[in-house]
Amino acid sequence: MRRNRSKPQPVKPEMAAGNGLLDRRLFLQGGGAVAAALGGFAIPESATAAGLPIEPWMTTLGPDPLLYDRPSRFEKDVVRGDWASRTGFPGVGSLRTPHHLLTGTITPNGLFFTRCHTGIPDIDPDKHRLLIHGLVKRPLIFSMETLARYPMESRIYFLECGGNGELLYDDKPTQVGVRRLAGQVGCAEWTGVKLSILMDEAGVDPKAKWVSAEGADAVGMTRSIPLSKIMDDAFIALYQNGERLMPSNGYPMRLFLPGFEGNMQVKYLRRIRVSEMPTMSRDETSKYTLTRPDGKSSQFNYQMEAKSVITQPSPDLMMKGPGFYEISGLAWSAYGKVAKVDVSADGGKSWAPAALQQPVLSLALTRFRLPWQWDGRPVVLQSRVTDEPGYVQPTREQMIANRGRWANYHANCIISWGINEKGEIKHVYA
Ligand SMILES: Nc1nc2c(c(=O)[nH]1)N[C@H]1C(S)=C(S)[C@@H](COP(=O)(O)O)O[C@H]1N2
Ligand SMILES: [Mo]
């Protein structure tokens, strides 16, 4: 039998929105076709008869591989950054993920952001114990060894600090890039034991409504979590992208609460106390409350609302003159999958739907991409996510109207990058 194969049609770049945003379906035609159609972008040199030069590494024996590998020396600038505490106390601060230098959706372990309150504890896994007690029939103590006997599951989830992007509440756009403004979110494959299995074994009292989770670092991070979440999808993470948790991410075990604000995901987990009432710990009363326009604050704000950010182009990167670019970024929501991401190049006047890179997983970072023809004139780039339940990422004005003037946490508004004729990229308010 003969099949009728149609020849690939030449690409006609169609405008999808203002200032050169192109139709995302252009990507279906393949990279070479896109570059050829648009010109000016990574055009391959035409080969000469001489072919390729012989480089020194082709003629010498290389060094032996490292027992634990590291990225190439040419990648030395791809690092976490901005270790700085607003309070000035030693051990308090954050190292953020350089999302402007990464692609894909899984955050490498060495680049996963960390937020810590008393430095990184040097925990001996043989001595570490986890206690489950309070309103239970049988209080239980687990060692690493006893915990490892339980069935494990792997899931891909984002983790975001409640304070990620807090500078978006500043009156003027602070001149920082993606790492400082959106670098307290990461996504990994987490492997561990479902907490409901351990709770069932301990036998939870029917009166119980809450648990209090406590960490083994000096700050003794303590947060109250509704028992319903613990029994639903909470787990004790032991592995991160296939290896033991990194010390800054909770080694040897952390509480993982899919979609909940980072602060509740207690690292170095040592104690789960089951109770009728929340604990009202320091970390959920003096901090991590959400302000409201009436000047009051609301407690127990768990889920991280939908958010997106353009990672390329973005500040700390430069445009290389007019021509074809791929706009790329990340989107996520605690309420399900990313349903769509729209991109604007005219400060929100017109929007074009971006292509969502597969796989699009619930509660995971999702990569979006859109082809763009930049004519060299000033533009303002923005992205706007809509999640599965239909919630749309708010503008900065809408967010501030919702949260009031004194807000610190859950900054999920649209982020704007202004590009001038010189190709410089700045954080702006549009
Ligand atoms: N024990 C302990 N757990 C903790 C913290 C901490 O300092 N100590 N920081 C919290 C905060 S504010 C956040 S955002 C997340 C950050 O997790 P990560 O450092 O693995 O990125 O851990 C939370 N759990
Ligand atoms: Mo946090």
Side-chain angles (χ1 to χ4, degrees), residues 76-374:
K76 67 175 181 355
D77 296 331
V78 185
V79 289
R80 301 191 293 185
D82 313 312
W83 171 256
S85 137
R86 281 192 144 189
T87 58
F89 292 116
V92 189
S94 193
L95 275 179
R96 298 173 169 85
T97 301
H99 285 301
H100 60 300
L101 302 176
L102 301 176
T103 59
T105 53
I106 296 289
T107 313
N109 288 345
L111 297 175
F112 206 96
F113 86 97
T114 182
R115 171 83 178 91
C116 56
H117 293 73
T118 43
I120 309 300
D122 182 27
I123 298 179
D124 178 346
D126 292 339
K127 296 202 178 126
H128 185 81
R129 296 288 180 273
L130 169 65
L131 168 66
I132 299 181
H133 71 149
L135 287 180
V136 295
K137 280 204 203 78
R138 279 177 303 280
L140 297 172
I141 291 185
F142 299 89
S143 65
M144 294 300 288
E145 210 187 329
T146 49
L147 204 54
R149 292 202 201 116
Y150 289 83
M152 297 207 201
E153 286 176 21
S154 295
R155 302 122 180 240
I156 295 173
Y157 286 130
F158 79 81
L159 172 73
E160 184 182 19
C161 173
N164 193 28
E166 88 283 19
L167 296 177
L168 291 163
Y169 289 115
D170 288 359
D171 287 335
K172 292 208 182 87
T174 308
Q175 281 320 307
V176 290
V178 165
R179 188 168 62 189
R180 182 62 186 83
L181 210 56
Q184 282 178 309
V185 65
C187 185
E189 185 205 64
W190 309 95
T191 304
V193 181
K194 246 185 105 100
L195 204 41
S196 59
I197 300 176
L198 308 181
M199 300 298 281
D200 285 342
E201 192 165 331
V204 177
D205 188 305
K207 284 201 298 290
K209 292 256 161 9
W210 291 83
V211 313
S212 170
E214 181 191 80
D217 48 350
V219 73
M221 180 63 65
T222 301
R223 288 291 306 255
S224 305
I225 298 124
L227 185 64
S228 53
K229 179 69 173 177
I230 296 291
M231 300 308 278
D232 176 20
D233 61 357
F235 61 101
I236 297 184
L238 301 166
Y239 296 87
Q240 173 181 1
N241 293 327
E243 63 183 352
R244 289 280 178 194
L245 293 181
M246 281 290 177
S248 56
N249 302 117
Y251 181 88
M253 62 173 79
R254 86 177 300 159
L255 181 58
F256 205 97
L257 305 169
F260 277 26
E261 70 178 12
N263 186 261
M264 304 176 75
Q265 322 225 10
V266 173
K267 300 188 280 189
Y268 325 112
L269 183 68
R270 73 183 284 268
R271 191 153 78 107
I272 290 177
R273 192 173 55 84
V274 185
S275 60
E276 267 181 274
M277 301 286 282
T279 303
M280 299 295 176
S281 73
R282 172 199 54 216
D283 300 295
E284 60 202 14
T285 50
S286 74
K287 298 200 285 179
Y288 296 100
T289 59
L290 269 194
T291 52
R292 308 191 311 208
D294 64 6
K296 296 186 175 168
S297 290
S298 66
Q299 244 187 315
F300 306 129
N301 309 287
Y302 310 124
Q303 275 146 304
M304 298 307 293
E305 300 80 3
K307 183 164 169 181
S308 73
V309 61
I310 294 173
T311 52
Q312 295 99 7
S314 68
D316 302 323
L317 304 173
M318 271 287 281
M319 302 293 289
K320 290 182 181 140
F324 174 77
Y325 288 86
E326 184 196 65
I327 294 171
S328 172
L330 294 168
W332 62 98
S333 166
Y335 293 89
K337 288 183 188 174
V338 164
K340 81 174 169 154
V341 178
D342 294 308
V343 172
S344 174
D346 52 16
K349 284 193 217 83
S350 64
W351 297 89
L356 299 184
Q357 179 185 294
Q358 295 298 326
V360 177
L361 303 174
S362 195
L363 276 62
L365 291 187
T366 298
R367 172 78 45 191
F368 62 88
R369 300 176 188 277
L370 192 68
W372 177 42
Q373 181 75 48
W374 185 45

Side-chain angles (χ1 to χ4, degrees), residues 51-64:
L52 298 170
I54 304 291
E55 303 288 0
W57 53 82
M58 300 173 69
T59 56
T60 47
L61 187 65
D64 290 346

Side-chain angles (χ1 to χ4, degrees), residues 407-429:
N408 249 327
Y409 301 114
H410 290 233
N412 72 319
C413 67
I414 290 171
I415 296 173
S416 310
W417 305 134
I419 304 180
N420 65 17
E421 321 67 354
K422 285 189 247 159
E424 294 162 343
I425 309 165
K426 289 215 158 81
H427 176 212
V428 296
Y429 289 160

Side-chain angles (χ1 to χ4, degrees), residues 368-384:
F368 62 88
R369 300 176 188 277
L370 192 68
W372 177 42
Q373 181 75 48
W374 185 45
D375 63 8
R377 279 182 304 184
V379 296
V380 173
L381 293 182
Q382 299 178 318
S383 64
R384 182 183 66 189

